[in-house]
């Protein structure tokens, strides 16, 4: 098969599913948490739960990828910034959406260039620490003339790093736009207690010092996500 994707035409629909925040019982929450733990138990055994998009590995779950698809189609960000590229599968997924829509582009940031990062139209990589001044200056430059920047934070998961990313990158997000904090499940929310303080705690601290964002629990509609409390929407 040709390794370059081909252009095709399609009709964009206008059904934007809306889901209120689920009102869950303790038993239902326990079921979700047990499923989450089972997912990671099997993933970490490398027994087949790894995920790929167009042949490129990603650490995201199918439900979170689907959610990103819906969010991108509905909100139409003209720039998606991802901190934490790793294998490039998530960057490839996001840029595939932009290419299908012929709208928007992706900037994915990681410390070092990894080997064989996937190339795609509308996808650019940047190398350096996401909180480094020089890197953030380049990000701000990229945001010039952009009206709807969406940000996904998935790099170093220590609380101090994520909090610093939130402080910097939230400034780039417009009213009704999103900054998404990945992997809030760490430190017992509900798994990986041994990790210690992580992204979940950074979200808590950020929301205490910043009242222009709220957690959008409606985006936890698929029940299983790696980003509990991590979907932050700008409200003012
Ligand atoms: C969880 S992985 C990213 C997974 C990827 N987004 C996906 O969904 O498949 C985290 C990545 O963040 C990178 N990273 C760690 N510290 C970073 C920093 N300070 N700035 C940018 N990237 C960083 C690591 O090198 C690693 O590749």
């Amino acid at each position: 098969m040709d390794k370059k994707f081909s252009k095709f035409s399609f009709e964009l629909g206008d059904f934007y599913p809306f889901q209120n925040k689920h009102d869950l019982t303790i038993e239902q929450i326990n079921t979700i948490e047990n499923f989450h733990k089972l997912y990671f138990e099997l993933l970490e055994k490398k027994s087949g739960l790894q995920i790929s998009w167009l042949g490129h590995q990603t650490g995201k779950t199918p439900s979170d990828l689907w959610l990103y698809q819906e969010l991108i189609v509905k909100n139409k960000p003209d720039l998606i910034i991802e901190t934490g590229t790793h294998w490039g599968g998530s960057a490839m997924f996001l840029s595939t959406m932009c290419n299908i829509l012929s709208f928007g582009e992706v900037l994915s940031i990681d410390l070092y260039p990894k080997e064989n990062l996937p190339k795609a139209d509308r996808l650019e990589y940047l190398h350096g620490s996401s909180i480094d001044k020089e890197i953030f200056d380049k990000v701000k430059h990229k945001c010039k003339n952009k009206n709807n920047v969406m940000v996904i934070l998935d790099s170093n998961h220590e609380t101090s790093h994520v909090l610093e990313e939130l402080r910097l990158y939230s400034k780039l997000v417009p009213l009704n736009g999103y900054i998404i904090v990945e992997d809030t499940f760490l430190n017992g929310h509900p798994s990986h207690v041994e990790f210690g303080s992580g992204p979940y705690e950074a979200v808590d601290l950020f929301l205490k010092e910043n009242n222009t964002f709220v957690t959008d629990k409606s985006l936890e509609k698929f029940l299983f996500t790696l980003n509990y409390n991590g979907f932050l929407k700008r409200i003012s």
Side-chain angles (χ1 to χ4, degrees), residues 22 24 28-40 61 63-64 67-68 162 179-192 198-204 207 214-232:
H22 291 292
L24 299 168
Q28 289 167 331
I29 292 169
N30 285 341
T31 303
I32 295 166
E33 293 192 354
N34 285 335
F35 179 81
H36 177 103
K37 286 172 191 162
L38 173 65
Y39 185 90
F40 273 97
T61 65
S63 49
D64 283 335
L67 192 86
Y68 278 127
V162 181
I179 182 164
I180 295 130
V181 182
E182 289 270 343
D183 294 349
T184 49
F185 66 85
L186 295 166
N187 197 28
H189 308 291
S191 68
H192 296 71
Y200 192 98
E201 288 71 21
V203 169
D204 262 1
L207 292 180
V214 291
T215 304
D216 186 350
K217 294 292 279 184
S218 74
L219 294 185
E220 295 177 29
K221 65 186 214 167
F222 293 125
L223 306 172
F224 174 50
T225 173
L226 303 189
N227 314 326
Y228 304 107
N229 281 6
F231 297 97
L232 305 183

Short mmCIF file of all heavy atoms in Angstrom, two decimals, residues 22 24 28-40 61 63-64 67-68 162 179-192 198-204 207 214-232:
data_model
loop_
_atom_site.label_atom_id
_atom_site.label_comp_id
_atom_site.label_asym_id
_atom_site.label_seq_id
_atom_site.Cartn_x
_atom_site.Cartn_y
_atom_site.Cartn_z
N HIS A 22 -22.27 12.74 33.91
CA HIS A 22 -22.98 11.55 34.42
C HIS A 22 -23.21 11.69 35.92
O HIS A 22 -22.32 12.17 36.65
CB HIS A 22 -22.15 10.28 34.19
CG HIS A 22 -22.03 9.89 32.75
ND1 HIS A 22 -23.10 9.45 32.01
CD2 HIS A 22 -20.96 9.88 31.92
CE1 HIS A 22 -22.69 9.17 30.78
NE2 HIS A 22 -21.40 9.43 30.69
N LEU A 24 -23.33 9.47 38.78
CA LEU A 24 -22.99 8.06 39.01
C LEU A 24 -23.14 7.66 40.48
O LEU A 24 -22.85 8.45 41.38
CB LEU A 24 -21.55 7.81 38.57
CG LEU A 24 -21.24 8.06 37.09
CD1 LEU A 24 -19.73 8.07 36.84
CD2 LEU A 24 -21.92 7.03 36.21
N GLN A 28 -21.35 2.32 40.51
CA GLN A 28 -20.95 2.57 39.12
C GLN A 28 -19.52 3.13 39.06
O GLN A 28 -18.74 2.74 38.18
CB GLN A 28 -21.95 3.54 38.46
CG GLN A 28 -23.30 2.90 38.20
CD GLN A 28 -24.38 3.91 37.84
OE1 GLN A 28 -24.33 5.07 38.27
NE2 GLN A 28 -25.37 3.46 37.09
N ILE A 29 -19.19 4.02 39.99
CA ILE A 29 -17.82 4.56 40.03
C ILE A 29 -16.82 3.43 40.28
O ILE A 29 -15.77 3.34 39.64
CB ILE A 29 -17.69 5.68 41.10
CG1 ILE A 29 -18.50 6.89 40.65
CG2 ILE A 29 -16.22 6.06 41.33
CD1 ILE A 29 -18.68 7.96 41.70
N ASN A 30 -17.19 2.51 41.19
CA ASN A 30 -16.30 1.36 41.46
C ASN A 30 -16.10 0.52 40.21
O ASN A 30 -15.00 0.05 39.94
CB ASN A 30 -16.88 0.48 42.58
CG ASN A 30 -16.69 1.14 43.94
OD1 ASN A 30 -15.85 2.04 44.08
ND2 ASN A 30 -17.47 0.72 44.92
N THR A 31 -17.16 0.34 39.44
CA THR A 31 -17.06 -0.46 38.20
C THR A 31 -16.07 0.20 37.24
O THR A 31 -15.21 -0.47 36.66
CB THR A 31 -18.45 -0.58 37.53
OG1 THR A 31 -19.35 -1.14 38.46
CG2 THR A 31 -18.39 -1.43 36.26
N ILE A 32 -16.19 1.52 37.08
CA ILE A 32 -15.29 2.25 36.18
C ILE A 32 -13.84 2.12 36.67
O ILE A 32 -12.92 1.86 35.90
CB ILE A 32 -15.69 3.74 36.08
CG1 ILE A 32 -17.07 3.87 35.44
CG2 ILE A 32 -14.66 4.54 35.29
CD1 ILE A 32 -17.70 5.24 35.60
N GLU A 33 -13.67 2.31 37.99
CA GLU A 33 -12.31 2.26 38.54
C GLU A 33 -11.71 0.86 38.40
O GLU A 33 -10.54 0.72 38.10
CB GLU A 33 -12.32 2.72 40.00
CG GLU A 33 -12.68 4.20 40.08
CD GLU A 33 -12.43 4.83 41.45
OE1 GLU A 33 -12.06 4.10 42.39
OE2 GLU A 33 -12.59 6.05 41.54
N ASN A 34 -12.55 -0.16 38.56
CA ASN A 34 -12.05 -1.53 38.41
C ASN A 34 -11.69 -1.80 36.96
O ASN A 34 -10.69 -2.47 36.67
CB ASN A 34 -13.09 -2.55 38.89
CG ASN A 34 -13.15 -2.58 40.41
OD1 ASN A 34 -12.17 -2.22 41.07
ND2 ASN A 34 -14.30 -2.95 40.96
N PHE A 35 -12.48 -1.27 36.02
CA PHE A 35 -12.16 -1.44 34.60
C PHE A 35 -10.83 -0.74 34.28
O PHE A 35 -9.98 -1.29 33.59
CB PHE A 35 -13.28 -0.87 33.70
CG PHE A 35 -12.97 -1.02 32.24
CD1 PHE A 35 -13.18 -2.23 31.60
CD2 PHE A 35 -12.42 0.03 31.51
CE1 PHE A 35 -12.86 -2.40 30.26
CE2 PHE A 35 -12.09 -0.12 30.17
CZ PHE A 35 -12.31 -1.34 29.55
N HIS A 36 -10.67 0.47 34.81
CA HIS A 36 -9.42 1.23 34.61
C HIS A 36 -8.22 0.41 35.09
O HIS A 36 -7.22 0.28 34.38
CB HIS A 36 -9.51 2.55 35.39
CG HIS A 36 -8.27 3.37 35.33
ND1 HIS A 36 -8.15 4.47 34.53
CD2 HIS A 36 -7.09 3.22 35.96
CE1 HIS A 36 -6.94 4.97 34.66
NE2 HIS A 36 -6.28 4.24 35.53
N LYS A 37 -8.35 -0.18 36.29
CA LYS A 37 -7.22 -0.96 36.84
C LYS A 37 -6.95 -2.19 35.98
O LYS A 37 -5.80 -2.54 35.73
CB LYS A 37 -7.52 -1.34 38.29
CG LYS A 37 -7.38 -0.13 39.22
CD LYS A 37 -7.85 -0.41 40.62
CE LYS A 37 -7.95 0.88 41.42
NZ LYS A 37 -8.79 0.76 42.61
N LEU A 38 -8.01 -2.84 35.50
CA LEU A 38 -7.85 -4.02 34.65
C LEU A 38 -7.15 -3.64 33.35
O LEU A 38 -6.24 -4.34 32.88
CB LEU A 38 -9.23 -4.63 34.34
CG LEU A 38 -9.25 -5.77 33.32
CD1 LEU A 38 -8.49 -7.00 33.85
CD2 LEU A 38 -10.69 -6.17 32.99
N TYR A 39 -7.55 -2.50 32.77
CA TYR A 39 -6.96 -2.02 31.52
C TYR A 39 -5.44 -1.89 31.68
O TYR A 39 -4.66 -2.39 30.88
CB TYR A 39 -7.58 -0.67 31.16
CG TYR A 39 -7.15 -0.12 29.81
CD1 TYR A 39 -7.87 -0.41 28.66
CD2 TYR A 39 -6.04 0.72 29.70
CE1 TYR A 39 -7.48 0.09 27.42
CE2 TYR A 39 -5.65 1.23 28.48
CZ TYR A 39 -6.38 0.92 27.35
OH TYR A 39 -5.99 1.43 26.13
N PHE A 40 -5.02 -1.24 32.77
CA PHE A 40 -3.58 -1.03 32.96
C PHE A 40 -2.85 -2.31 33.33
O PHE A 40 -1.70 -2.51 32.95
CB PHE A 40 -3.33 0.07 34.00
CG PHE A 40 -3.30 1.41 33.34
CD1 PHE A 40 -4.42 2.22 33.32
CD2 PHE A 40 -2.17 1.84 32.67
CE1 PHE A 40 -4.42 3.43 32.66
CE2 PHE A 40 -2.16 3.06 32.00
CZ PHE A 40 -3.28 3.86 32.00
N THR A 61 -6.18 6.09 24.88
CA THR A 61 -7.17 5.00 24.79
C THR A 61 -8.09 5.29 23.60
O THR A 61 -8.24 6.45 23.18
CB THR A 61 -8.04 4.94 26.06
OG1 THR A 61 -8.80 6.16 26.14
CG2 THR A 61 -7.19 4.79 27.31
N SER A 63 -11.26 5.46 23.56
CA SER A 63 -12.34 6.39 23.91
C SER A 63 -11.83 7.84 23.95
O SER A 63 -12.54 8.77 23.52
CB SER A 63 -13.00 6.01 25.25
OG SER A 63 -12.03 5.80 26.24
N ASP A 64 -10.60 8.05 24.41
CA ASP A 64 -10.07 9.42 24.42
C ASP A 64 -9.78 9.91 23.00
O ASP A 64 -10.02 11.08 22.68
CB ASP A 64 -8.81 9.51 25.28
CG ASP A 64 -9.13 9.53 26.78
OD1 ASP A 64 -10.26 9.94 27.13
OD2 ASP A 64 -8.28 9.14 27.59
N LEU A 67 -13.01 10.90 21.57
CA LEU A 67 -13.44 12.17 22.14
C LEU A 67 -12.72 13.35 21.48
O LEU A 67 -13.32 14.38 21.17
CB LEU A 67 -13.16 12.18 23.65
CG LEU A 67 -13.85 13.34 24.33
CD1 LEU A 67 -15.27 12.96 24.68
CD2 LEU A 67 -13.11 13.77 25.54
N TYR A 68 -11.41 13.18 21.24
CA TYR A 68 -10.65 14.24 20.55
C TYR A 68 -11.23 14.48 19.16
O TYR A 68 -11.34 15.62 18.73
CB TYR A 68 -9.16 13.89 20.47
CG TYR A 68 -8.40 14.20 21.75
CD1 TYR A 68 -7.63 13.25 22.38
CD2 TYR A 68 -8.46 15.48 22.31
CE1 TYR A 68 -6.95 13.55 23.57
CE2 TYR A 68 -7.78 15.78 23.48
CZ TYR A 68 -7.03 14.81 24.10
OH TYR A 68 -6.36 15.12 25.27
N VAL A 162 3.53 20.15 35.40
CA VAL A 162 2.20 20.31 34.79
C VAL A 162 1.60 21.67 35.19
O VAL A 162 0.99 22.36 34.36
CB VAL A 162 1.25 19.15 35.17
CG1 VAL A 162 -0.11 19.33 34.51
CG2 VAL A 162 1.84 17.80 34.79
N ILE A 179 -8.01 23.29 27.41
CA ILE A 179 -6.66 22.79 27.71
C ILE A 179 -6.88 21.47 28.44
O ILE A 179 -7.64 21.41 29.42
CB ILE A 179 -5.81 23.82 28.51
CG1 ILE A 179 -4.40 23.27 28.74
CG2 ILE A 179 -6.43 24.21 29.82
CD1 ILE A 179 -3.39 24.36 29.15
N ILE A 180 -6.29 20.42 27.91
CA ILE A 180 -6.56 19.08 28.45
C ILE A 180 -5.31 18.55 29.15
O ILE A 180 -4.22 18.55 28.58
CB ILE A 180 -7.02 18.12 27.33
CG1 ILE A 180 -8.36 18.61 26.78
CG2 ILE A 180 -7.17 16.70 27.86
CD1 ILE A 180 -8.43 18.73 25.32
N VAL A 181 -5.50 18.15 30.39
CA VAL A 181 -4.39 17.59 31.17
C VAL A 181 -4.52 16.07 31.14
O VAL A 181 -5.48 15.52 31.66
CB VAL A 181 -4.43 18.12 32.63
CG1 VAL A 181 -3.26 17.56 33.42
CG2 VAL A 181 -4.42 19.64 32.64
N GLU A 182 -3.54 15.43 30.50
CA GLU A 182 -3.57 13.97 30.35
C GLU A 182 -3.02 13.27 31.59
O GLU A 182 -2.22 13.83 32.34
CB GLU A 182 -2.72 13.58 29.14
CG GLU A 182 -3.33 13.95 27.79
CD GLU A 182 -4.22 12.85 27.23
OE1 GLU A 182 -4.13 11.69 27.70
OE2 GLU A 182 -5.02 13.16 26.33
N ASP A 183 -3.48 12.04 31.76
CA ASP A 183 -2.94 11.11 32.77
C ASP A 183 -3.15 11.58 34.21
O ASP A 183 -2.31 11.38 35.09
CB ASP A 183 -1.45 10.81 32.49
CG ASP A 183 -1.29 10.04 31.18
OD1 ASP A 183 -2.31 9.59 30.63
OD2 ASP A 183 -0.16 9.90 30.71
N THR A 184 -4.31 12.18 34.44
CA THR A 184 -4.69 12.58 35.80
C THR A 184 -5.01 11.37 36.68
O THR A 184 -5.21 11.53 37.88
CB THR A 184 -5.93 13.50 35.76
OG1 THR A 184 -6.89 12.86 34.93
CG2 THR A 184 -5.60 14.87 35.21
N PHE A 185 -5.06 10.18 36.07
CA PHE A 185 -5.37 8.95 36.84
C PHE A 185 -4.26 8.58 37.81
O PHE A 185 -4.46 7.78 38.73
CB PHE A 185 -5.63 7.77 35.88
CG PHE A 185 -4.42 7.36 35.10
CD1 PHE A 185 -3.49 6.49 35.65
CD2 PHE A 185 -4.19 7.87 33.83
CE1 PHE A 185 -2.36 6.12 34.94
CE2 PHE A 185 -3.05 7.50 33.11
CZ PHE A 185 -2.13 6.63 33.67
N LEU A 186 -3.06 9.16 37.59
CA LEU A 186 -1.91 8.80 38.43
C LEU A 186 -2.13 9.20 39.89
O LEU A 186 -2.96 10.06 40.18
CB LEU A 186 -0.64 9.49 37.89
CG LEU A 186 -0.18 9.03 36.49
CD1 LEU A 186 0.85 10.01 35.92
CD2 LEU A 186 0.38 7.62 36.53
N ASN A 187 -1.37 8.60 40.78
CA ASN A 187 -1.42 8.89 42.22
C ASN A 187 -2.77 8.50 42.84
O ASN A 187 -3.31 9.22 43.68
CB ASN A 187 -1.13 10.38 42.48
CG ASN A 187 -0.77 10.64 43.94
OD1 ASN A 187 -0.25 9.76 44.63
ND2 ASN A 187 -1.08 11.84 44.42
N GLY A 188 -3.31 7.37 42.36
CA GLY A 188 -4.53 6.84 42.99
C GLY A 188 -5.82 7.46 42.50
O GLY A 188 -6.84 7.38 43.18
N HIS A 189 -5.82 8.06 41.30
CA HIS A 189 -7.06 8.66 40.75
C HIS A 189 -7.52 7.96 39.47
O HIS A 189 -7.73 8.63 38.46
CB HIS A 189 -6.83 10.15 40.45
CG HIS A 189 -6.27 10.95 41.57
ND1 HIS A 189 -6.98 11.23 42.72
CD2 HIS A 189 -5.04 11.51 41.72
CE1 HIS A 189 -6.21 11.96 43.53
NE2 HIS A 189 -5.04 12.14 42.95
N PRO A 190 -7.68 6.65 39.41
CA PRO A 190 -7.75 5.75 40.56
C PRO A 190 -6.57 4.80 40.69
O PRO A 190 -6.59 3.96 41.60
CB PRO A 190 -9.01 4.93 40.22
CG PRO A 190 -8.97 4.78 38.75
CD PRO A 190 -8.31 6.04 38.21
N SER A 191 -5.55 4.89 39.83
CA SER A 191 -4.49 3.87 39.91
C SER A 191 -3.11 4.51 40.08
O SER A 191 -2.99 5.73 40.23
CB SER A 191 -4.52 2.99 38.66
OG SER A 191 -4.13 3.74 37.54
N HIS A 192 -2.06 3.69 40.01
CA HIS A 192 -0.67 4.13 40.06
C HIS A 192 -0.36 5.04 41.26
O HIS A 192 0.21 6.12 41.12
CB HIS A 192 -0.28 4.82 38.74
CG HIS A 192 -0.32 3.90 37.56
ND1 HIS A 192 -1.50 3.43 37.03
CD2 HIS A 192 0.67 3.36 36.81
CE1 HIS A 192 -1.25 2.64 36.00
NE2 HIS A 192 0.04 2.56 35.85
N GLY A 198 0.86 14.14 40.98
CA GLY A 198 0.99 14.23 39.52
C GLY A 198 0.06 15.26 38.88
O GLY A 198 -0.24 16.30 39.48
N PRO A 199 -0.43 14.96 37.69
CA PRO A 199 -1.26 15.92 36.96
C PRO A 199 -2.57 16.29 37.67
O PRO A 199 -3.02 17.43 37.59
CB PRO A 199 -1.56 15.19 35.64
CG PRO A 199 -0.45 14.21 35.47
CD PRO A 199 -0.08 13.79 36.85
N TYR A 200 -3.18 15.32 38.36
CA TYR A 200 -4.45 15.58 39.05
C TYR A 200 -4.27 16.71 40.07
O TYR A 200 -5.08 17.64 40.17
CB TYR A 200 -4.90 14.30 39.76
CG TYR A 200 -6.33 14.30 40.27
CD1 TYR A 200 -7.35 13.71 39.53
CD2 TYR A 200 -6.64 14.85 41.52
CE1 TYR A 200 -8.66 13.68 40.01
CE2 TYR A 200 -7.94 14.83 42.00
CZ TYR A 200 -8.94 14.25 41.24
OH TYR A 200 -10.23 14.24 41.71
N GLU A 201 -3.17 16.62 40.82
CA GLU A 201 -2.90 17.63 41.85
C GLU A 201 -2.57 18.98 41.20
O GLU A 201 -2.93 20.04 41.74
CB GLU A 201 -1.73 17.17 42.74
CG GLU A 201 -2.06 16.02 43.69
CD GLU A 201 -2.26 14.66 43.03
OE1 GLU A 201 -1.78 14.46 41.89
OE2 GLU A 201 -2.92 13.80 43.64
N ALA A 202 -1.94 18.94 40.02
CA ALA A 202 -1.63 20.20 39.32
C ALA A 202 -2.94 20.89 38.89
O ALA A 202 -3.06 22.12 39.01
CB ALA A 202 -0.76 19.91 38.09
N VAL A 203 -3.90 20.09 38.44
CA VAL A 203 -5.21 20.67 38.05
C VAL A 203 -5.85 21.34 39.25
O VAL A 203 -6.34 22.48 39.17
CB VAL A 203 -6.14 19.58 37.45
CG1 VAL A 203 -7.57 20.10 37.30
CG2 VAL A 203 -5.60 19.08 36.11
N ASP A 204 -5.84 20.64 40.39
CA ASP A 204 -6.42 21.19 41.63
C ASP A 204 -5.80 22.54 41.97
O ASP A 204 -6.50 23.52 42.24
CB ASP A 204 -6.12 20.24 42.80
CG ASP A 204 -7.29 19.34 43.10
OD1 ASP A 204 -8.31 19.44 42.40
OD2 ASP A 204 -7.16 18.52 44.03
N LEU A 207 -6.71 25.30 39.39
CA LEU A 207 -8.09 25.82 39.48
C LEU A 207 -8.29 26.67 40.73
O LEU A 207 -9.19 27.52 40.77
CB LEU A 207 -9.10 24.67 39.44
CG LEU A 207 -9.18 23.93 38.10
CD1 LEU A 207 -10.21 22.80 38.16
CD2 LEU A 207 -9.51 24.86 36.94
N VAL A 214 -12.82 25.91 34.09
CA VAL A 214 -13.52 24.92 34.93
C VAL A 214 -13.29 23.53 34.33
O VAL A 214 -12.98 23.40 33.15
CB VAL A 214 -15.06 25.17 34.99
CG1 VAL A 214 -15.39 26.44 35.75
CG2 VAL A 214 -15.69 25.18 33.59
N THR A 215 -13.48 22.52 35.18
CA THR A 215 -13.41 21.14 34.68
C THR A 215 -14.70 20.84 33.94
O THR A 215 -15.79 21.06 34.48
CB THR A 215 -13.28 20.16 35.86
OG1 THR A 215 -12.16 20.54 36.63
CG2 THR A 215 -13.07 18.74 35.37
N ASP A 216 -14.59 20.35 32.71
CA ASP A 216 -15.78 19.97 31.95
C ASP A 216 -15.99 18.46 32.09
O ASP A 216 -15.43 17.66 31.33
CB ASP A 216 -15.60 20.38 30.48
CG ASP A 216 -16.86 20.13 29.67
OD1 ASP A 216 -17.79 19.48 30.20
OD2 ASP A 216 -16.92 20.59 28.51
N LYS A 217 -16.80 18.08 33.11
CA LYS A 217 -17.02 16.66 33.39
C LYS A 217 -17.82 15.99 32.28
O LYS A 217 -17.83 14.77 32.17
CB LYS A 217 -17.73 16.48 34.74
CG LYS A 217 -16.93 16.91 35.95
CD LYS A 217 -15.73 16.03 36.23
CE LYS A 217 -16.07 14.76 36.96
NZ LYS A 217 -14.83 13.98 37.30
N SER A 218 -18.52 16.81 31.46
CA SER A 218 -19.32 16.21 30.38
C SER A 218 -18.43 15.47 29.38
O SER A 218 -18.88 14.56 28.68
CB SER A 218 -20.16 17.28 29.66
OG SER A 218 -19.33 18.07 28.83
N LEU A 219 -17.14 15.86 29.33
CA LEU A 219 -16.24 15.19 28.39
C LEU A 219 -15.72 13.85 28.92
O LEU A 219 -14.99 13.15 28.23
CB LEU A 219 -15.08 16.12 28.00
CG LEU A 219 -15.51 17.35 27.20
CD1 LEU A 219 -14.29 18.16 26.75
CD2 LEU A 219 -16.33 16.96 25.97
N GLU A 220 -16.19 13.49 30.12
CA GLU A 220 -15.88 12.13 30.62
C GLU A 220 -17.03 11.21 30.23
O GLU A 220 -17.33 10.24 30.91
CB GLU A 220 -15.65 12.16 32.13
CG GLU A 220 -14.41 12.97 32.49
CD GLU A 220 -14.16 13.12 33.98
OE1 GLU A 220 -14.56 12.23 34.76
OE2 GLU A 220 -13.56 14.14 34.37
N LYS A 221 -17.68 11.52 29.12
CA LYS A 221 -18.91 10.83 28.73
C LYS A 221 -18.73 9.35 28.45
O LYS A 221 -19.65 8.57 28.62
CB LYS A 221 -19.53 11.51 27.52
CG LYS A 221 -18.70 11.44 26.26
CD LYS A 221 -19.37 12.29 25.19
CE LYS A 221 -19.17 11.71 23.82
NZ LYS A 221 -20.03 12.31 22.83
N PHE A 222 -17.52 8.94 28.02
CA PHE A 222 -17.31 7.51 27.73
C PHE A 222 -16.96 6.72 28.99
O PHE A 222 -16.61 5.56 28.91
CB PHE A 222 -16.21 7.34 26.67
CG PHE A 222 -16.60 7.87 25.32
CD1 PHE A 222 -15.81 8.80 24.66
CD2 PHE A 222 -17.77 7.44 24.70
CE1 PHE A 222 -16.17 9.29 23.40
CE2 PHE A 222 -18.14 7.93 23.45
CZ PHE A 222 -17.35 8.85 22.80
N LEU A 223 -17.01 7.38 30.13
CA LEU A 223 -16.79 6.78 31.46
C LEU A 223 -15.32 6.41 31.71
O LEU A 223 -14.78 6.67 32.76
CB LEU A 223 -17.67 5.55 31.69
CG LEU A 223 -19.17 5.78 31.47
CD1 LEU A 223 -19.91 4.45 31.53
CD2 LEU A 223 -19.74 6.76 32.49
N PHE A 224 -14.70 5.80 30.68
CA PHE A 224 -13.29 5.43 30.83
C PHE A 224 -12.44 6.44 30.08
O PHE A 224 -12.55 6.60 28.87
CB PHE A 224 -13.05 4.03 30.26
CG PHE A 224 -11.60 3.63 30.24
CD1 PHE A 224 -10.81 3.76 31.39
CD2 PHE A 224 -11.02 3.13 29.09
CE1 PHE A 224 -9.47 3.40 31.37
CE2 PHE A 224 -9.67 2.75 29.08
CZ PHE A 224 -8.91 2.89 30.22
N THR A 225 -11.62 7.18 30.83
CA THR A 225 -10.71 8.16 30.24
C THR A 225 -9.42 8.15 31.07
O THR A 225 -9.44 7.71 32.23
CB THR A 225 -11.34 9.58 30.24
OG1 THR A 225 -10.35 10.52 29.80
CG2 THR A 225 -11.84 10.00 31.61
N LEU A 226 -8.35 8.63 30.49
CA LEU A 226 -7.11 8.77 31.29
C LEU A 226 -7.04 10.16 31.90
O LEU A 226 -6.06 10.50 32.55
CB LEU A 226 -5.88 8.50 30.41
CG LEU A 226 -5.85 7.14 29.71
CD1 LEU A 226 -4.50 6.90 29.05
CD2 LEU A 226 -6.15 6.00 30.69
N ASN A 227 -8.10 10.95 31.70
CA ASN A 227 -8.03 12.38 32.05
C ASN A 227 -9.16 12.83 32.99
O ASN A 227 -9.76 13.87 32.76
CB ASN A 227 -8.08 13.21 30.75
CG ASN A 227 -7.15 12.67 29.69
OD1 ASN A 227 -6.08 12.16 30.02
ND2 ASN A 227 -7.54 12.77 28.44
N TYR A 228 -9.43 12.05 34.04
CA TYR A 228 -10.47 12.44 34.99
C TYR A 228 -10.17 13.84 35.54
O TYR A 228 -9.04 14.09 35.99
CB TYR A 228 -10.56 11.45 36.16
CG TYR A 228 -10.80 10.02 35.72
CD1 TYR A 228 -9.79 9.07 35.78
CD2 TYR A 228 -12.04 9.63 35.21
CE1 TYR A 228 -9.99 7.76 35.36
CE2 TYR A 228 -12.25 8.33 34.78
CZ TYR A 228 -11.22 7.40 34.87
OH TYR A 228 -11.42 6.11 34.44
N ASN A 229 -11.14 14.73 35.48
CA ASN A 229 -10.99 16.14 35.92
C ASN A 229 -10.00 16.93 35.05
O ASN A 229 -9.65 18.06 35.39
CB ASN A 229 -10.52 16.25 37.38
CG ASN A 229 -11.65 16.04 38.35
OD1 ASN A 229 -12.77 15.71 37.93
ND2 ASN A 229 -11.40 16.22 39.63
N GLY A 230 -9.55 16.32 33.95
CA GLY A 230 -8.47 16.94 33.17
C GLY A 230 -8.93 17.76 31.97
O GLY A 230 -8.12 18.40 31.31
N PHE A 231 -10.24 17.71 31.66
CA PHE A 231 -10.72 18.49 30.51
C PHE A 231 -11.11 19.88 31.02
O PHE A 231 -12.16 20.06 31.66
CB PHE A 231 -11.93 17.81 29.86
CG PHE A 231 -11.61 16.45 29.29
CD1 PHE A 231 -11.87 15.29 30.02
CD2 PHE A 231 -11.02 16.33 28.04
CE1 PHE A 231 -11.56 14.03 29.50
CE2 PHE A 231 -10.71 15.08 27.51
CZ PHE A 231 -10.97 13.93 28.24
N LEU A 232 -10.26 20.86 30.79
CA LEU A 232 -10.49 22.21 31.33
C LEU A 232 -10.97 23.14 30.23
O LEU A 232 -10.32 23.28 29.18
CB LEU A 232 -9.20 22.75 31.96
CG LEU A 232 -8.56 21.86 33.03
CD1 LEU A 232 -7.33 22.55 33.63
CD2 LEU A 232 -9.54 21.50 34.13
#
